[in-house]
Amino acid sequence: PLSPTTPNMGCGASAEVEKKGYVFRVRLLGGLNLYNNGFGIQAPFSLTEEGKMQGASDPYCVLECSGSKQRFESKVQVHTQNPVWNEEFYFNTTTKAPILTVTVKDKDVLSGDDVLGVAKINLHGLISRDAERTMWTTLEQKGALQGAKGEIGLAVVEGYRTHITAKSGTNVKPMDGFSGSSDCYMTLQVGQQPAQKTEVKGWTLNPVWNQTFTFFVPYGIKSQVAMILYDHDTVGVDQNMGWHYEYFDGKPAKEPRELKVELTGAPGNLEFTVADDEQLEGVQEAGAVTDAIKAAWPREIPTSCTFDCRVLGAYNLAASDHSYAADFATGVDSWGWHEFKEYEGTSDPFAVVTCEGVSHATRHINNTLEPVWNEKFRFVCKDRENGFIKVDVYDHDVVGNDGIGAVQIPLKAVKPGKRQEIWSFLDKGRGEVGIEVIQHHQLHVKVVKCDALPAKDMNGMCDPYIKLFLAGAEYKTRIVRNDRNPWFEEEFRFCVDDVSNQKLRLECWDSDFVLFRQNLSEDCMGLAEIDVENLVPGIPNEMTLPLTIAGRAEGTITVIITEEIPVPESALDELKKKGKEAYENAVRKLSEAKEMVTCLKMPDFDKKEEAEYEVADPKLAPRPRFGRINVDVVAARKLEGVRDPWHVGVSFPMQGKRYKTKDGFRGNNNDINESFEFNVPSRLTGALEFKVFESSHHPYTEWTDNCFANHRLLLQSLNNGDGTIRGSPSDDEWLSLSEGKGEVVVRVFEMFRFQIRVVSATEVSTEKQPYVALTFAGVARRTSHAPAVKTRDEKKQLIFRSDPKWDEQFTYFAREKGIVEFEVVADGAPIGKAQFDLNNVRRGVMHTEDVVLDKGGSLKIEVLEEEKMALLDRVIDAANNAKKLAEGLASEVADAVSGAAAGAASAVSGALGKLF
């Protein structure tokens, strides 16, 4: 045999490969959230209203490694900040503890390429023969790009050499009609490594080559070896004379082995010798893997995440707008009313949401302390572990905006893939602000291979590649030439805000003609769809699906789908310390689903040591921490010595609210019958203050001391200590005034609170941008305009989509249940009306309804009647306790069940459903 042929180990190799070095394979997966360096836009992670990146770069990677002179360059991915490469490179080094350097650059035609970031990874302890190690590391930048980080994904595994000797062929197919012989040569390819070919042996049906080629094979990974026989033609296209596919299992044999294989697609046989080579020469051994080295290892999944943040609204804001000039120096009464105005006041609030330097502002709403914004923004966060969402609330002014308050919400508190409502107190003044966060599902899809694809080309082969579609995103694999059993082993990531009713669509295409990286001619060879809604988080799902076209199967495709769970490191580490032994036992006993459910038992969260990994701020809650009470001032009795005119003042100091009744005359026994509303904490703390003022002698300027008489009513003492009554007046409370000067009769009751969400409409066709107006209990609100989306009908005619979506939420308070009126409006004209009776809603249970519009179509709504305030805190506390498990347990369960049998997966899925 001839001496081994040195393989081309990857694109851009610039040095001769050492023959006996330490071999490992690097798979360059892709990048996430790279710096935006396109078209002069120097703003990292800048998003349009649709959530798409503005501008882009043309990134490629340069890979270098210590102990080797090799240098590799990946392909250039055009106009993207989330490139997918899926390219393989083999390094041959002189050390078992190499340092890999990955430089990400932006390709420029007219100037030098810009460096987008650099990652240096110490691979000591990361390269293994047992399994491929996936890692995502943050890029570091310098100079003008400093702080604009992105992530790069790699996978490494140790490899070895294999020498394949193409010995000979016998009784191959004659291709020359005149001579009855062929001009034979053969190509060999292992994995993604470039194919190598033998010499051409002319005028023969029994060619003898005896040529040896060296390839690299990763340990423990199945690799496809394609052996294809061709007839060489001086004029025209070389004709395929048959093929054979062999598979190496990644386990090197100690002795050479002989292979005699039968060709597929044509007569004949081929003979090979395969010799695996694990010898090392001049390789430096690695030392022990210390804890410091382990601490610097990259994460196995990306740290970044994409999330949508909807700013719902705010309640009980502090007033920032005051006008002194209008009421000044107009008498005692004006002083009193002026203080009332100042204490109540108004604002023109708007909110600014910020995450890692990117900010979005809502519109401002005039003259309100309870704004409803319902505006959604999309963010890309680079560091979920330490990142946070900051919400600043301002009062809009013509010159300078006044700060009302702010809150920071850690991203650790956000559960992946779930719509989470979060309310928090502002850091100064008073009030609460609410947001709704949806962290996108991160689906990892690995396209492994296809088998038995149909022949599409004249040579009896095809040039397949796979297109992947999910939730508007599209990816495609590389083209594998002349292969009906292609081996792709390529990975892709999808960020999906909602996986409900979502399907991953896989299409297999045959490429015929490519110009400027575009397929100008292609044939669809089959497709398959996968329902991603019911995936168990954290568990790889490997499946082989038939590719069908026109109702018939045309080969199969094998993919692995995993829903990644980016839990915070702090929660995961703490959970691992406490539950390591239990989960190790679970791994050993996963054949019994009962053992798995036992491991998922919720711990006792009353114990401080069990709750140390709690990441939520104690100020955060899934619902606003307030309710609303109605105070009826019924009458005043036996007011001894009061001078006309007089009035009753009502206040709730904890929330800074004051009201006054109308003036009373003619004696000391008057019926008043006036109602006032107060926002109160859900725990019913604090007290109501009732004061009787002589209007001409006791102005509001001395509210506390200067009054005729007063009474302080503790909320917890209402109805003989039973608290408030929901939706109906309580018993009359006869309040004895100070110094025995009389009594004030009041009734206090809790108002109903409803969360009404307008989700979407169906069969409502309009070219305009419709909105929905809601009216209940005399309060009118409206959604934003839903964009009119164009699509095509079955006849390919352009139409406007008839299912506008809003997904906006509103809070209503009411003394009693009643009818909510909905009106869908487009271009100022109603296109549908509907009503819904809130008496159909069960307290504490989400009610979903499709209400029928009077002009056709329907409106989907979700209504929740909140629990009584006495129960609301229990709900909030229970939700916070559940959050402790949700933050970290899912990933730990994923580790525990990764090797489980399919029978245990259903039990785990049910248990996870209860947790989330």
Side-chain angles (χ1 to χ4, degrees):
L2 303 177
S3 60
T5 303
T6 301
N8 183 350
M9 296 172 58
C11 174
S14 60
E16 183 178 355
V17 178
E18 296 87 349
K19 295 181 180 181
K20 297 294 183 179
Y22 179 66
V23 176
F24 66 93
R25 186 184 76 175
V26 177
R27 276 200 307 129
L28 179 62
L29 303 178
L32 289 175
N33 313 318
L34 300 184
Y35 186 75
N36 178 358
N37 201 43
F39 304 102
I41 302 176
Q42 300 297 325
F45 319 120
S46 182
L47 299 172
T48 64
E49 293 182 355
E50 294 79 18
K52 296 181 179 180
M53 293 289 182
Q54 294 179 348
S57 301
D58 302 322
Y60 70 94
C61 290
V62 177
L63 292 85
E64 298 171 292
C65 185
S66 63
S68 173
K69 297 180 181 179
Q70 297 165 270
R71 181 180 184 273
F72 301 103
E73 286 188 9
S74 72
K75 296 178 182 178
V76 177
Q77 299 296 321
V78 179
H79 199 68
T80 180
Q81 288 177 262
N82 298 289
V84 176
W85 285 291
N86 279 314
E87 297 183 44
E88 296 179 0
F89 307 98
Y90 284 88
F91 281 96
N92 227 344
T93 73
T94 58
T95 175
K96 287 189 176 182
I99 296 176
L100 179 66
T101 301
V102 182
T103 304
V104 184
K105 295 186 177 183
D106 173 41
K107 187 69 174 180
D108 290 324
V109 178
L110 302 178
S111 62
D113 298 345
D114 300 317
V115 176
L116 301 180
V118 178
K120 288 189 176 182
I121 309 169
N122 187 349
L123 297 178
H124 186 192
L126 288 173
I127 304 174
S128 170
R129 295 186 177 187
D130 299 328
E132 185 178 48
R133 176 69 178 256
T134 301
M135 63 191 74
W136 286 83
T137 183
T138 303
L139 296 173
E140 299 294 336
Q141 291 91 350
K142 298 180 180 179
L145 301 185
Q146 190 170 5
K149 299 178 181 179
E151 288 184 277
I152 200 76
L154 307 164
V156 295
V157 65
E158 187 177 343
Y160 61 91
R161 299 168 188 80
T162 187
H163 307 299
I164 303 177
T165 301
K167 298 175 67 176
S168 62
T170 56
N171 301 321
V172 299
K173 181 180 179 180
M175 302 297 290
D176 191 337
F178 294 100
S179 64
S181 61
S182 299
D183 302 323
C184 307
Y185 72 92
M186 186 173 55
T187 64
L188 294 92
Q189 184 178 26
V190 178
Q192 290 189 28
Q193 298 174 67
Q196 302 183 60
K197 70 178 184 178
T198 67
E199 299 174 347
V200 177
K201 298 297 182 179
W203 301 86
T204 181
L205 297 180
N206 298 282
V208 177
W209 296 287
N210 283 327
Q211 286 184 262
T212 301
F213 304 91
T214 299
F215 291 93
F216 296 95
V217 180
Y219 279 101
I221 297 177
K222 192 174 182 180
S223 300
Q224 184 190 57
V225 184
M227 307 168 176
I228 305 176
L229 185 64
Y230 289 95
D231 173 57
H232 175 70
D233 288 327
T234 305
V235 179
V237 180
D238 295 352
Q239 298 297 310
N240 184 286
M241 298 170 59
W243 63 88
H244 175 76
Y245 294 99
E246 192 73 20
Y247 293 92
F248 294 163
D249 60 4
K251 299 176 182 179
K254 295 182 178 180
E255 300 294 333
R257 55 193 185 275
E258 301 290 334
L259 296 179
K260 185 173 183 180
V261 300
E262 184 177 347
L263 288 172
T264 302
N269 299 283
L270 298 175
E271 292 187 20
F272 303 89
T273 298
V274 179
D276 298 324
D277 183 4
E278 297 182 276
Q279 295 182 9
L280 300 179
E281 294 179 0
V283 176
Q284 181 182 357
E285 293 293 332
V289 180
T290 63
D291 291 339
I293 293 175
K294 291 182 179 180
W297 284 354
R299 287 179 56 121
E300 295 185 19
I301 61 175
T303 59
S304 63
C305 64
T306 301
F307 65 91
D308 292 331
C309 178
R310 183 187 296 276
V311 187
L312 300 175
Y315 293 97
N316 307 322
L317 295 181
S320 293
D321 292 343
H322 313 297
S323 176
Y324 294 93
D327 297 319
F328 188 73
T330 57
V332 174
D333 287 343
S334 296
W335 272 105
W337 282 106
H338 166 65
E339 184 180 335
F340 170 76
K341 177 184 290 187
E342 179 182 355
Y343 209 73
E344 274 294 288
T346 60
S347 291
D348 306 323
F350 69 96
V352 177
V353 189
T354 304
C355 181
E356 295 186 345
V358 178
S359 298
H360 296 283
T362 68
R363 69 190 186 280
H364 73 271
I365 301 178
N366 291 329
N367 301 320
T368 182
L369 300 180
E370 298 184 353
V372 177
W373 292 295
N374 268 321
E375 297 188 38
K376 184 172 72 173
F377 310 103
R378 179 163 296 176
F379 294 90
V380 177
C381 174
K382 305 184 293 293
D383 185 1
R384 185 182 187 274
E385 174 73 16
N386 301 306
F388 58 85
I389 307 168
K390 184 180 181 183
V391 183
D392 292 275
V393 181
Y394 295 95
D395 171 53
H396 176 75
D397 289 319
V398 177
V399 180
N401 299 318
D402 300 321
I404 297 177
V407 63
Q408 287 189 173
I409 300 171
L411 285 174
K412 296 178 184 180
V414 179
K415 292 178 280 189
K418 299 292 182 181
R419 185 169 66 189
Q420 186 172 351
E421 187 174 334
I422 300 175
W423 288 83
S424 179
F425 299 116
L426 297 175
D427 61 352
K428 65 179 181 178
R430 69 172 192 262
E432 284 183 284
V433 64
I435 64 173
E436 182 182 83
V437 183
I438 303 176
Q439 182 178 318
H440 291 200
H441 295 261
Q442 298 187 45
L443 297 178
H444 171 251
V445 181
K446 184 175 184 178
V447 181
V448 181
K449 64 176 181 175
C450 290
D451 290 307
L453 297 179
K456 289 292 184 178
D457 299 336
M458 294 177 60
N459 60 4
M461 304 297 287
C462 59
D463 305 317
Y465 68 96
I466 306 299
K467 292 182 180 179
L468 301 88
F469 303 89
L470 178 62
E474 176 182 351
Y475 291 108
K476 63 181 179 181
T477 67
R478 73 190 190 283
I479 300 171
V480 179
R481 297 292 180 188
N482 299 315
D483 200 339
R484 293 175 60 184
N485 298 277
W487 194 272
F488 295 101
E489 199 178 0
E490 297 192 27
E491 301 180 21
F492 306 91
R493 275 178 169 75
F494 293 88
C495 285
V496 185
D497 57 350
D498 185 8
V499 296
S500 302
N501 302 318
Q502 293 282 3
K503 291 186 177 182
L504 172 65
R505 182 181 178 90
L506 304 166
E507 297 180 357
C508 184
W509 290 79
D510 172 55
S511 175
D512 293 330
F513 182 65
V514 178
L515 182 64
F516 298 117
R517 303 180 67 175
Q518 299 295 322
N519 288 287
L520 303 183
S521 176
E522 54 188 5
D523 301 313
C524 183
M525 296 189 290
L527 57 91
E529 290 186 339
I530 302 171
D531 188 350
V532 300
E533 181 177 3
N534 298 318
L535 295 176
V536 180
I539 299 179
N541 299 269
E542 182 173 354
M543 54 193 75
T544 299
L545 307 169
L547 292 167
T548 60
I549 185 169
R552 67 181 186 276
E554 295 283 1
T556 62
I557 184 171
T558 301
V559 296
I560 301 174
I561 305 178
T562 307
E563 180 177 349
E564 296 177 340
I565 308 175
V567 299
E569 286 285 357
S570 57
L572 184 57
D573 291 344
E574 185 66 25
L575 200 62
K576 284 182 177 179
K577 292 178 184 177
K578 298 182 180 301
K580 181 179 179 181
E581 182 178 354
Y583 283 110
E584 287 177 349
N585 293 334
V587 173
R588 290 193 295 266
K589 300 179 181 180
L590 274 175
S591 58
E592 301 178 21
K594 181 180 179 180
E595 293 289 335
M596 191 63 240
V597 175
T598 302
C599 291
L600 294 175
K601 184 178 179 181
M602 293 182 66
D604 182 5
F605 291 107
D606 292 332
K607 296 181 180 180
K608 184 176 185 302
E609 62 270 20
E610 289 289 335
E612 287 180 349
Y613 66 95
E614 167 72 15
V615 295
D617 190 305
K619 294 187 298 183
L620 306 183
R623 292 286 185 270
R625 285 188 182 269
F626 78 96
R628 185 168 293 179
I629 60 173
N630 185 277
V631 179
D632 290 336
V633 182
V634 181
R637 296 290 185 261
K638 301 178 183 179
L639 299 182
E640 300 294 340
V642 68
R643 292 173 291 184
D644 293 339
W646 54 268
H647 61 268
V648 178
V650 187
S651 74
F652 184 58
M654 182 175 289
Q655 292 296 321
K657 275 274 192 177
R658 293 180 184 173
Y659 292 106
K660 65 187 292 288
T661 66
K662 297 178 181 178
D663 285 342
F665 297 92
R666 298 181 300 279
N668 57 9
N669 291 301
N670 275 43
D671 292 337
I672 300 175
N673 292 321
E674 293 191 41
S675 297
F676 307 101
E677 296 178 1
F678 293 92
N679 293 329
V680 300
S682 54
R683 295 187 187 275
L684 290 176
T685 55
L688 292 168
E689 291 187 353
F690 298 88
K691 297 177 182 288
V692 178
F693 294 92
E694 295 175 333
S695 302
S696 299
H697 301 278
H698 303 134
Y700 275 120
T701 51
E702 298 178 2
W703 171 274
T704 303
D705 300 322
N706 191 5
C707 65
F708 173 75
N710 64 80
H711 182 94
R712 190 168 183 267
L713 175 63
L714 293 174
L715 293 178
Q716 294 179 342
S717 69
L718 291 170
N719 300 308
N720 297 318
D722 292 334
T724 58
I725 297 177
R726 169 68 68 87
S728 60
S730 64
D731 298 333
D732 289 350
E733 301 277 353
W734 288 72
L735 309 180
S736 299
L737 298 175
S738 57
E739 300 180 7
K741 293 184 179 180
E743 294 176 313
V744 174
V745 184
V746 300
R747 300 189 189 105
V748 182
F749 66 93
E750 181 182 341
M751 301 179 70
F752 291 99
R753 188 172 87 186
F754 295 95
Q755 302 282 3
I756 302 177
R757 179 180 293 271
V758 181
V759 181
S760 60
T762 57
E763 299 180 8
V764 177
S765 183
T766 175
E767 298 182 6
K768 306 300 180 180
Q769 297 182 344
Y771 68 88
V772 179
L774 305 80
T775 304
F776 174 60
V779 179
R781 298 233 172 87
R782 52 172 285 183
T783 68
S784 58
H785 292 270
V789 180
K790 295 181 180 180
T791 185
R792 295 186 182 275
D793 59 14
E794 296 178 355
K795 298 181 179 180
K796 305 298 182 181
Q797 299 295 320
L798 189 64
I799 61 173
F800 286 88
R801 196 173 69 186
S802 59
D803 55 344
K805 293 179 174 58
W806 296 278
D807 200 24
E808 298 183 17
Q809 178 176 298
F810 304 90
T811 299
Y812 281 93
F813 291 91
R815 295 171 61 103
E816 58 185 4
K817 295 184 178 182
I819 303 296
V820 185
E821 297 181 349
F822 300 92
E823 186 176 52
V824 183
V825 181
D827 198 25
I831 59 175
K833 297 181 179 180
Q835 293 182 339
F836 178 74
D837 190 350
L838 292 177
N839 288 291
N840 297 327
V841 178
R842 180 182 173 187
R843 187 174 65 196
V845 179
M846 180 66 71
H847 183 94
T848 302
E849 184 89 5
D850 288 314
V851 293
V852 179
L853 298 172
D854 60 350
K855 295 184 180 180
S858 62
L859 187 67
K860 182 178 181 179
I861 61 172
E862 294 177 354
V863 183
L864 175 66
E865 179 189 345
E866 296 282 10
E867 294 282 1
K868 291 183 62 176
M869 286 186 287
L871 297 176
L872 180 62
D873 284 292
R874 300 178 191 175
V875 175
I876 292 174
D877 293 340
N880 283 334
N881 285 341
K883 189 181 301 180
K884 299 171 185 177
L885 212 62
E887 292 278 311
L889 187 55
S891 185
E892 188 67 32
V893 170
D895 294 340
V897 302
S898 59
S906 59
V908 179
S909 177
L912 284 172
K914 295 178 182 179
L915 292 177
F916 291 100

